[in-house]
Amino acid sequence: MTIFGCSAGGSSVNCLLAAPAADGLYHKAISHSGTSPTTPPNDVAPLLAKQLKVANQDLPAQLASMTGPEIFQAQLTLGARVGACMDGSVVTRTRPEAFAQCQSAGVPYIAGSNRDEGTAFSMLMPDYPNLGNDVFGPVATAAARRVIEDEDPSDYLATLQQQHPDDDPRTLYGHILTDSFRRAAIKNVEAATGAGVDGWLYRFDVPSNAMDGKLGAAHGAEMSFTFNTYASKKGLGLVMHDRDDLEVQALAQTWSQTLINFARSGNPNGGGLPQWPAYNETERQSLVLDLPSYIVGAELDVQNRTRWGDL
């Protein structure tokens, strides 16, 4: 049994790894653009009541009387997070604990992200001309906290702006989202290999044709390759590349076969792509899915690691 998913599905795969009740129900795992469950949220009700200057028992009524933007701003000010988290009941293990405890079962793991993850979100956000670019401020800050796992994002955001001084807030927001998927993939593969379980890291770089190519290698773009939607013109699913492009067809065939090999044997090699070594923290090798695909080491993420504080 191989579990795999993309985006929220990739995050669900990582949650299953952290859920002891699921141990033994699967034997390989693939997380496409998945994030990791966060640590348990604090009981924020008393803190929120204090912030809004109401008694605890009056908090539900106060929230019911507030507008959506007011609630969102209160959440940002408080630093409260939403999304998959360790709930202490089903999802009970941290990332290192999850892979360490899966080691005895030998669950091999693949994780990866796309080069331009954030464009699918940032470019599709509406413009708010009356508010200017400040509309991205609180949203970007909340996303940045996910990148660096609830630490203060100030240094990260400052370094990002220094590295991309000419980018507007919308583009910077896209970089933040891209970072959130990329760092999670790296950290999860590092945890797997650190526990003695084979893990493989990839990045999908083939720019799509969507929106006249403006999306690049966007979030979800590789899934039509995972399912080899290009094998038939009648294939259903999200298609963001030219169905008639022979190189696209060839990559879809080899990538889907690579994942089939992994599901069968726990090793992805032999599907027609370059020999893909298991990740290790010395060489930090990734498979870059491109036209053509290639293997690259630590230099692929060196700038990213600088702003993440991981060097």
Side-chain angles (χ1 to χ4, degrees), residues 78-99:
L78 194 64
R81 285 278 305 279
V82 296
C85 68
M86 293 172 57
D87 63 349
S89 177
V90 177
V91 181
T92 62
R93 298 188 291 216
T94 64
R95 175 169 46 215
E97 290 170 346
F99 285 104

Side-chain angles (χ1 to χ4, degrees), residues 16-214:
L16 285 171
L17 288 167
D23 287 354
L25 300 180
Y26 58 89
H27 310 98
K28 302 106 180 172
I30 307 170
S31 177
H32 302 279
S33 301
T35 57
S36 302
T38 62
T39 53
N42 295 323
D43 183 2
V44 300
L47 299 175
L48 186 57
K50 182 178 179 180
Q51 178 183 311
L52 297 176
K53 299 179 180 179
V54 298
N56 283 0
Q57 63 268 24
D58 297 329
L59 183 59
Q62 175 65 27
L63 291 173
S65 71
M66 294 168 64
T67 66
E70 287 173 339
I71 293 174
F72 184 55
Q73 186 57 52
Q75 175 189 324
L76 292 176
T77 304
L78 194 64
R81 285 278 305 279
V82 296
C85 68
M86 293 172 57
D87 63 349
S89 177
V90 177
V91 181
T92 62
R93 298 188 291 216
T94 64
R95 175 169 46 215
E97 290 170 346
F99 285 104
Q101 293 176 26
C102 286
Q103 181 179 7
S104 60
V107 177
Y109 180 74
I110 290 176
S113 62
N114 295 354
R115 187 191 62 198
D116 307 302
E117 292 274 5
T119 58
F121 306 94
S122 63
M123 292 187 66
L124 298 179
M125 290 182 71
D127 288 317
Y128 296 93
N130 295 331
L131 296 177
N133 288 324
D134 289 342
V135 69
F136 299 108
V139 178
T141 301
R145 295 186 73 89
R146 176 172 287 279
V147 174
I148 55 175
E149 300 178 337
D150 286 332
E151 298 294 330
D152 183 344
S154 301
D155 290 344
Y156 162 76
L157 289 171
T159 304
L160 179 66
Q161 290 177 309
Q162 290 170 4
Q163 292 177 341
H164 301 277
D166 299 325
D167 287 354
D168 59 27
R170 180 189 292 271
T171 305
L172 289 171
Y173 176 58
H175 291 322
I176 294 168
L177 294 177
T178 297
D179 279 357
S180 69
F181 293 108
R182 184 62 182 170
R183 189 168 189 250
I186 292 172
K187 288 294 185 180
N188 285 329
V189 171
E190 286 179 351
T193 56
V197 179
D198 283 339
W200 289 266
L201 180 66
Y202 77 85
R203 194 180 78 182
F204 182 84
D205 278 20
V206 185
S208 74
N209 300 92
M211 295 180 65
D212 296 324
K214 294 178 182 178

